[in-house]
Structures are given as C-alpha cells and as structure tokens.
C-alpha cells in the first residue's frame, strides 16, 4: 500500500511501525531507525513526535524501568520522539518545590538540552507559591508548569487556583494539570489521591480566557458530563496517554467511543505517553491502531504541541 498523493494521505502502517515501533521492539540500533531512504512523497516519512507527558526521577511507590534519565532519553529517541515535556515525580510529595524544580531544570539542561523541556510545579494551596512560579519562569525559563492537585490537597475550586491561572496566562506559560497519576485501585493505602474534578474549569476559564490548559491522563474527564463544556466553552487540550479502547483516538475524535460522553476535535489532542510510568509504546500503538489520516497524525504527534510551545 502506498500513500495517497494528496494532503489527506495516510502514512502506511508498515512505515509507521518500522520507523517508530520496530527499532526498540526488535532491539535495532538507534542509528538504523534514522537511516535516510528515498522520499517518494512528503508524507512518506514518519512524523516528528513531541511527547507532552513524561516524568524524570523515581516514582515514589515502586521502581520503574527507565527511571534513570539517560535510558529514558534513549528509549524515547529510539521511537523518534524528538522532544519531551518533562515533569518531576519528586514534585508529588516533596515539600520544597523549588529544590525539586531546580533539580529538574538542571537534569534537563545537563542530560538532554533541547530534547527534555522542564515543567516545574507549584502548589497554590501553599504560601508564597508566586515565588515558585516566578523562579520557574524567570530563573529556569520553563515554558509551563505541571500541577498535581490530588497529591497537593486542593481542588480546582480553590480560590488561589484562579489566581494561578491568571498568573500563568500573564506570563504566557502553559498550565498542565495531572487529572490522575495511576488507577486509584492500586494506590498506596497511606495515600489515596482521587482523580481531579474538572467541573470548575469552564467557569474559571471564562474569567481568564487567555489561560492555556492541558489535562494529562484525563480518561475520567472523557467519561464525565464535564467533557462537553470543556470543549465548547474553553480551549483546553488533552494528551492521549490514558485513552482506552481499540481505535480510541479516532473514536474520540468522531464521538463514537461508547464509554466516553462526547467528541474531542483533533486540534485538542496531543501525544503524551506518561513514560516511564506507562511504556511509551502504549501511546504509539494508540496512533497505529486508529485509522488516522496524515494531517490528523501530524496534528496529534507534533503540530498541536508546537502551537502551544513553538
């Protein structure tokens, strides 16, 4: 099967698997995946991939494969992931968030400058969160921050969250919100962190329309009655890490996924793997198993991300 010769051509499954999945699955050297080959059409090459949802450092509750930065980078690059927006697992439980943010910044700078893009964390329920935000923006030059409300003890109806939305909008920063980090059924019994309720977001966004928000691991939102207001009344975007079901991406775009409550336009979806908590191959397979045309694939893998952070 060959790509069509128009702007709606689909990348062939053979090319997608060979370029993005086979190198790691078959233990090919990384260089093998990047060897040049003749280009018959502008869509013959696999797309660039920007991963908007990875974390560095150890997960607090169990050891993960690729918890070390260099092996994680090598894993991502073996699948043609050229850039990754990185948060820090340390930010979930550490009280000194600036120390965690500084370590994240230094790790990204020293291990993979230009590949790992650091996203620090602030807690609007704690005093002086404005100082943490200022340092993230002015000292560490982070393009956005990543929040963990379930682990930091506040909801999106907290009055300081609205101030944080406004502060990030004024600084031109992207605001990522982790709706959940793992299934509540396997949480450590000493720390139960329920999925974040997104219900307040449409009203809050109307007060700060310039805010740019991305929800991570948002499968509970896709199943909730709050999905439609988020799509119709906000510019909220989502990553694909927690999507479920065969052909889940295309079904979500079409609004035909039976256990979801609506449809999400393709321009609201971004590639995110939730690595190393999830294998990054999981997100790649979601792309492979959905019948997406090439413009849709490009939008999800990199174009939508570049519209948020050039």
């Amino acid at each position: 099967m060959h790509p069509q010769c128009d702007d709606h051509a689909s990348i062939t499954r053979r090319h997608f698997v060979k370029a993005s999945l086979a190198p790691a699955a078959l233990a090919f050297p990384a260089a093998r995946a990047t060897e040049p080959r003749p280009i018959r059409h502008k869509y013959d090459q696999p797309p660039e991939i920007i991963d908007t949802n990875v974390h560095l450092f150890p997960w607090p509750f169990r050891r993960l494969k690729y918890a070390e930065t260099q092996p994680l980078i090598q894993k991502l690059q073996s699948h043609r992931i050229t850039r990754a927006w990185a948060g820090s697992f340390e930010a979930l439980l550490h009280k000194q968030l600036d120390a965690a943010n500084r370590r994240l910044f230094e790790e990204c700078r020293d291990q993979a400058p230009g590949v790992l893009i650091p996203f620090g964390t602030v807690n609007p329920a704690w005093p002086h969160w404005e100082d943490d935000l200022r340092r993230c923006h002015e000292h560490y030059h982070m393009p956005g921050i990543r929040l963990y409300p379930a682990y930091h003890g506040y909801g999106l109806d907290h009055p300081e969250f609205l101030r944080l939305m406004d502060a990030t909008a004024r600084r031109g920063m992207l605001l990522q919100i982790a709706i959940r980090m793992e299934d509540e059924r396997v949480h450590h019994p000493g720390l139960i962190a329920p999925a974040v309720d997104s219900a307040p977001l449409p009203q809050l966004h109307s007060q700060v329309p310039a805010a740019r928000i991305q929800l991570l691991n948002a499968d509970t939102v896709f199943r909730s009655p709050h999905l439609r207001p988020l799509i119709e009344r906000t510019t909220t975007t989502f990553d694909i890490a927690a999507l479920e079901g065969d052909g889940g991406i295309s079904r979500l775009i079409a609004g035909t996924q039976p256990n979801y409550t609506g449809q999400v336009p393709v321009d609201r979806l971004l590639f995110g793997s939730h690595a190393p908590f999830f294998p990054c191959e999981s997100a790649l397979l979601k792309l492979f198993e959905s019948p997406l045309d090439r413009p849709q694939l490009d939008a999800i893998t990199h174009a939508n991300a570049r519209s948020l952070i050039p």
Side-chain angles (χ1 to χ4, degrees):
M1 180 173 63
H2 297 287
Q4 302 292 324
C5 294
D6 58 52
D7 286 345
H8 296 282
S10 299
I11 188 171
T12 67
R13 292 194 171 195
R14 176 175 60 83
H15 285 160
F16 184 85
V17 173
K18 181 178 179 182
S20 298
L21 291 172
L26 302 179
F28 289 166
R32 175 84 172 270
T34 58
E35 289 177 357
R37 53 190 171 87
I39 300 176
R40 297 187 303 273
H41 183 270
K42 66 179 182 178
Y43 286 150
D44 195 40
Q45 289 281 18
E48 173 193 4
I49 302 176
I50 298 175
D51 193 333
T52 65
N53 182 8
V54 305
H55 284 85
L56 305 187
F57 309 124
W59 171 246
F61 304 105
R62 62 181 172 89
R63 181 171 176 80
L64 300 177
K65 191 176 182 181
Y66 303 111
E68 300 296 327
T69 303
Q70 275 303 316
L72 176 61
I73 294 169
Q74 293 167 11
K75 182 65 171 177
L76 296 173
Q77 291 184 328
S78 74
H79 292 306
R80 290 183 176 267
I81 294 171
T82 60
R83 184 175 295 187
W85 300 353
S88 171
F89 279 142
E90 291 183 343
L92 271 67
L93 301 180
H94 280 218
K95 287 185 174 181
Q96 295 180 320
L97 287 179
D98 182 57
N101 292 337
R102 183 170 63 252
R103 185 180 178 205
L104 174 67
F105 162 72
E106 292 172 349
E107 187 78 354
C108 293
R109 178 197 64 192
D110 298 342
Q111 298 294 329
V115 176
L116 292 178
I117 310 301
F119 274 60
T121 297
V122 305
N123 184 345
W126 287 354
H128 310 301
W129 61 262
E130 299 95 333
D131 292 334
D132 286 332
L133 180 65
R134 176 180 55 79
R135 283 187 285 263
C136 284
H137 185 229
E138 298 178 10
H139 294 186
Y140 309 137
H141 308 292
M142 295 172 173
I145 59 171
R146 188 171 296 178
L147 305 184
Y148 307 94
Y151 290 84
H152 289 172
Y154 65 91
L156 302 188
D157 56 352
H158 194 289
E160 289 297 297
F161 177 74
L162 178 61
R163 292 189 59 235
L164 175 60
M165 282 182 61
D166 182 63
T168 56
R170 284 187 284 106
R171 290 179 178 273
M173 301 177 77
L174 177 64
L175 182 61
Q176 293 185 320
I177 304 171
I179 296 298
R180 69 200 308 208
M181 294 297 289
E182 65 175 345
D183 192 309
E184 291 84 353
R185 293 171 294 181
V186 296
H187 279 180
H188 188 287
L191 197 160
I192 305 298
V196 176
D197 182 6
S198 64
L201 271 181
Q203 176 60 32
L204 295 173
H205 199 272
S206 69
Q207 299 178 63
V208 190
R212 294 180 298 137
I213 298 174
Q214 182 188 11
L215 303 186
L216 305 180
N217 309 325
D219 55 317
T220 57
V221 178
F222 297 143
R223 296 195 299 266
S224 78
H226 312 308
L227 178 61
R228 178 170 292 181
L230 282 172
I231 297 301
E232 295 178 351
R233 296 166 53 190
T234 79
T235 57
T236 301
T237 57
F238 309 84
D239 82 325
I240 66 169
L243 279 175
E244 298 178 348
D246 181 43
I249 298 176
S250 55
R251 289 176 181 270
L252 182 61
I253 294 170
T256 58
Q257 183 71 315
N259 56 336
Y260 291 160
T261 57
Q263 63 186 114
V264 177
V266 68
D267 62 356
R268 303 288 194 91
L269 294 174
L270 287 75
F271 184 91
S273 68
H274 195 21
F277 190 89
F278 289 165
C280 62
E281 291 90 346
S282 174
L284 291 165
L285 285 168
K286 294 178 198 298
L287 294 173
F288 170 64
E289 69 183 9
S290 291
L292 302 171
D293 62 33
R294 185 55 189 262
Q296 291 176 320
L297 193 64
D298 284 345
I300 294 168
T301 55
H302 63 275
N304 293 341
R306 289 198 177 279
S307 71
L308 292 176
I309 300 177

